[in-house]
Amino acid sequence: MTNTFVRACALDELEEDSPKRVELEGVPVALVRTEGEVFAVSDICSHANVSLSEGEVEDCQIECWLHGSSFDLRTGKPSGLPATRPVPVYPVKIEGDDVLVSVTQES
């Protein structure tokens, strides 16, 4: 299987610890630049249908603003209730000034 990467935004559009919502191939994605890396996770909280990109980022976690669940940006795993299911995490690569994300896998 190979990942198909699409351009999500320019690297300089991402402010440190400030999530950005993008839609890639119909998939809502929260992009986060933190600790020298860029992460991409589903923008929809696994507990409630809420946009994670409206939440706060701290210690490589993104917090859902509605109920306070936090998700690890590296694994998507929740670190506290009420969420119990992880959110999808998507591969990211930087090419020049572009942030590329893969939301699909092709066999």
Side-chain angles (χ1 to χ4, degrees), residues 5-59:
F5 285 86
V6 294
R7 183 183 186 276
C9 67
L11 186 58
D12 64 7
E13 288 179 51
L14 295 177
E15 295 178 36
E16 187 77 9
D17 295 332
S18 179
K20 176 179 178 68
R21 183 186 198 280
V22 296
E23 194 164 301
L24 304 172
E25 300 180 356
V27 178
V29 175
L31 294 173
V32 179
R33 185 178 190 172
T34 188
E35 300 179 6
E37 291 187 66
V38 176
F39 299 92
V41 298
S42 170
D43 191 41
I44 306 300
C45 177
S46 65
H47 168 254
N49 191 12
V50 174
S51 178
L52 289 177
S53 60
E54 295 175 25
E56 301 289 318
V57 173
E58 190 174 335
D59 297 328

Side-chain angles (χ1 to χ4, degrees), residues 30-107:
L31 294 173
V32 179
R33 185 178 190 172
T34 188
E35 300 179 6
E37 291 187 66
V38 176
F39 299 92
V41 298
S42 170
D43 191 41
I44 306 300
C45 177
S46 65
H47 168 254
N49 191 12
V50 174
S51 178
L52 289 177
S53 60
E54 295 175 25
E56 301 289 318
V57 173
E58 190 174 335
D59 297 328
C60 217
Q61 305 261 333
I62 190 166
E63 182 182 52
C64 178
W65 61 270
L66 187 61
H67 296 118
S69 287
S70 289
F71 299 89
D72 189 304
L73 290 167
R74 296 165 292 231
T75 65
K77 290 183 179 168
S79 58
L81 296 172
T84 57
R85 294 188 323 271
V87 293
V89 175
Y90 305 109
V92 175
K93 64 182 178 182
I94 310 298
E95 285 187 358
D97 296 328
D98 293 332
V99 177
L100 306 176
V101 177
S102 174
V103 293
T104 58
Q105 281 205 338
E106 292 181 356
S107 51

